Amino acid sequence: MNRRTLLLGLSGAAVIAVAGGWIASRQGAGQTSFAVPAMAEDAPAAALLPDVPLGSPDAPVTLIEYASYTCPHCAHFHDEVFGALKRDYIDTGKVKFIHREVYFDKFGLWAGLIAQCGGTMKYYGIVDMLYGTQTDWIGDGKEQTISDNLRKIGLKAGLTGEQLDTCLKDQARAEAMVTTFQKHATDDQVEGTPTLIINGEKYSNMSYEELKKILDAKLAG
């Protein structure tokens, strides 16, 4: 099976079959809006994938970011906000950060499979690469271009070709990723990316200065 067939096969089986026509997205002011596809029934807890937390597990503030790898507003948040957030709050033990993937197109799901392929140890490093080079790996928007570029990112992150082949053929994993996204996004009433959940309260995309004020208020009690 060649690389093109590998990825296109996954898109058909894991995106179309799992979620049907699933997401209608549009660009909004500072966010990409979407509609979460309805689940046929409540997903059993065992079917949900665990979060990958970053920072101290005992941090007084938990910040969950819902984001898509193909969302330009998410890439902007990564470039303009996340670095300072990590430096000032995550690395200092004040905030526990959780990145939750949103899939409103097949390319975002492909990128998620690459990000998760290296396990928890490599996850945030690959996430950083995906957002930091978003326009480069999307390129001309063609399937072959994107699939080739995503594989290059995986290889650059230290994954082997065999590992990538295994991950990109893992339909069960892809289905679990979609189920996990649907369950969490529905529970948290997420309608756009990026969306931030800070100690249970939902916020839209914002600047670092705005985020800092909210975090400092939470930390002050």
Side-chain angles (χ1 to χ4, degrees), residues 47-93:
L48 302 181
L49 298 175
D51 289 322
V52 182
L54 183 66
S56 171
D58 300 319
V61 173
T62 297
L63 191 162
I64 301 171
E65 179 198 10
Y66 283 88
S68 166
Y69 295 117
T70 57
C71 161
H73 303 301
C74 301
H76 183 266
F77 181 88
H78 175 87
D79 292 341
E80 301 296 328
V81 178
F82 182 75
L85 169 67
K86 185 174 185 299
R87 178 193 66 218
D88 297 340
Y89 292 93
I90 299 172
D91 291 347
T92 57

Side-chain angles (χ1 to χ4, degrees), residues 44-176:
L48 302 181
L49 298 175
D51 289 322
V52 182
L54 183 66
S56 171
D58 300 319
V61 173
T62 297
L63 191 162
I64 301 171
E65 179 198 10
Y66 283 88
S68 166
Y69 295 117
T70 57
C71 161
H73 303 301
C74 301
H76 183 266
F77 181 88
H78 175 87
D79 292 341
E80 301 296 328
V81 178
F82 182 75
L85 169 67
K86 185 174 185 299
R87 178 193 66 218
D88 297 340
Y89 292 93
I90 299 172
D91 291 347
T92 57
K94 299 175 182 177
V95 168
K96 178 176 70 174
F97 177 82
I98 295 170
H99 177 262
R100 285 185 178 168
E101 298 172 354
V102 168
Y103 316 113
F104 47 72
D105 54 48
K106 62 186 174 184
F107 302 132
L109 180 59
W110 293 0
L113 285 164
I114 297 292
Q116 297 185 28
C117 191
T120 58
M121 294 299 294
K122 288 183 179 291
Y123 179 70
Y124 280 103
I126 299 176
V127 168
D128 182 75
M129 295 169 69
L130 289 166
Y131 286 125
T133 64
Q134 184 189 84
T135 57
D136 294 330
W137 64 261
I138 290 177
D140 59 12
K142 295 180 180 178
E143 291 180 340
Q144 186 65 57
T145 299
I146 292 174
S147 64
D148 288 346
N149 287 339
L150 286 174
R151 290 186 69 93
K152 289 176 184 176
I153 289 174
L155 293 170
K156 187 175 181 180
L159 303 175
T160 67
E162 290 75 15
Q163 284 178 301
L164 291 169
D165 288 344
T166 298
C167 290
L168 292 169
K169 288 188 291 185
D170 191 346
Q171 181 174 328
R173 179 77 181 190
E175 292 175 352

Side-chain angles (χ1 to χ4, degrees), residues 7-53:
L7 284 172
L8 294 186
L10 176 62
S11 72
V15 180
I16 298 173
V18 174
W22 67 332
I23 302 287
S25 63
R26 58 182 173 81
Q27 296 299 318
Q31 283 188 310
T32 298
S33 301
F34 64 87
V36 180
M39 301 177 69
E41 57 185 25
D42 290 339
L48 302 181
L49 298 175
D51 289 322
V52 182

